[in-house]
Amino acid sequence: IDHRRIIGDTFVASLSSRHAKPAADIILIPGSCHGFWAWRFWQPALAAAGYATHALSMPNHTAASFLPEAEFLTLTPSDYAARVAVVAATLPGRPLVLAGHSLGGIVAQLAAKMLRPAALIPVASTGADEVGGSRIEIDPNRAMLPSREEAARMWFADVEPEILEWALDLMTGESPATRNAPRGPNLLARGDITCPSLVIGAGRDGSTVPPQPDLAAWLGGDCVMFPTAGHDIMLERQAWAAVRQVITWLDAKLPPR
């Protein structure tokens, strides 16, 4: 990591190639209970490919500022998207790419509606309510954190054992409002996002995200599925194959360097 900083209450870990001027800035937004560390394999690969990368931890997650519990429990995907916009405002004006995993995927979509980035990359992503998937409301009065067994079952399928244990150790409670807040067309509607999009899906995803080809169709974008991968594909054995697809796609979609 080249640079670590707190912007507002959000932690940002930045990494760029030392050998070339970056082609774009990529903000990497983690999913529920995850932090900046979820991008440990993708971030250096993207930086080596010539992109400036900025992996986030939202408040009350790894290395970020801590809010009072009563405030944290009310944070919604829109609140997280507002924080992405604050981080984006500190960047130097290169083309902007938003990549988000799971909950971070809907956060990236909401931020894309505001920021009009050059590209959007949802990864095993949630979406607007009309896309589908299952969004079961949870207890609004306590942070959401699955047991280690539940997290392993829902989020991992083809992962090295030491990476699984490392990731489970780092997970932190999530605001229940990120699950409970409605995601209707008044918040995010078909056509709100106009930039090119690439959806990365996992064939052995045990979470409640919608079918990723359906999300890609709703966004009017592309989709690549990895049949043996689990929800946390960025940390699994297919991480490298997936990020290579992302780099190839970005190199084709973004303006020439």
Side-chain angles (χ1 to χ4, degrees), residues 3 27 71 80 123 131-132 151-152 163 179 181 241 249:
H3 189 50
I27 298 179
E71 182 179 355
Y80 283 178
V123 181
V131 180
I163 295 297
R179 174 78 65 85
W249 184 86

Side-chain angles (χ1 to χ4, degrees), residues 230-249:
H231 185 65
D232 273 36
I233 185 173
M234 318 89 58
L235 292 171
E236 296 201 337
R237 293 183 177 96
Q238 291 294 302
W240 308 111
V243 76
R244 283 195 295 271
Q245 288 276 359
V246 169
I247 291 166
T248 299
W249 184 86

Side-chain angles (χ1 to χ4, degrees), residues 9 25 32 54 80 115 136 195 222 230:
D9 50 22
D25 286 284
S32 292
H54 313 279
Y80 283 178
L115 299 174
I136 301 169
C195 65
D222 302 314

Side-chain angles (χ1 to χ4, degrees), residues 121-255:
I121 304 171
V123 181
S125 175
T126 55
D129 284 340
E130 66 180 286
V131 180
S134 175
R135 189 171 58 79
I136 301 169
E137 292 200 7
I138 58 176
D139 184 349
N141 298 310
R142 63 185 180 92
M144 172 186 67
L145 180 63
S147 69
R148 294 174 73 90
E149 294 75 17
E150 290 173 315
R153 176 181 54 80
M154 291 189 300
W155 295 339
F156 295 92
D158 183 26
V159 60
E160 297 288 350
E162 63 271 21
I163 295 297
L164 173 61
E165 293 303 314
W166 169 83
L168 294 174
D169 286 343
L170 287 171
M171 290 184 182
T172 51
E174 187 57 75
S175 164
T178 61
R179 174 78 65 85
N180 294 342
R183 302 173 187 175
N186 59 320
L187 188 70
L188 189 63
R190 188 189 295 267
D192 282 345
I193 297 169
T194 57
C195 65
S197 60
L198 172 65
V199 176
I200 299 292
R204 296 170 63 191
D205 194 330
S207 75
T208 58
V209 299
Q212 297 299 279
D214 292 353
L215 175 60
W218 190 83
L219 290 168
D222 302 314
C223 182
V224 177
M225 294 293 298
F226 290 84
T228 64
H231 185 65
D232 273 36
I233 185 173
M234 318 89 58
L235 292 171
E236 296 201 337
R237 293 183 177 96
Q238 291 294 302
W240 308 111
V243 76
R244 283 195 295 271
Q245 288 276 359
V246 169
I247 291 166
T248 299
W249 184 86
L250 284 173
D251 287 347
K253 294 294 183 181
L254 295 182

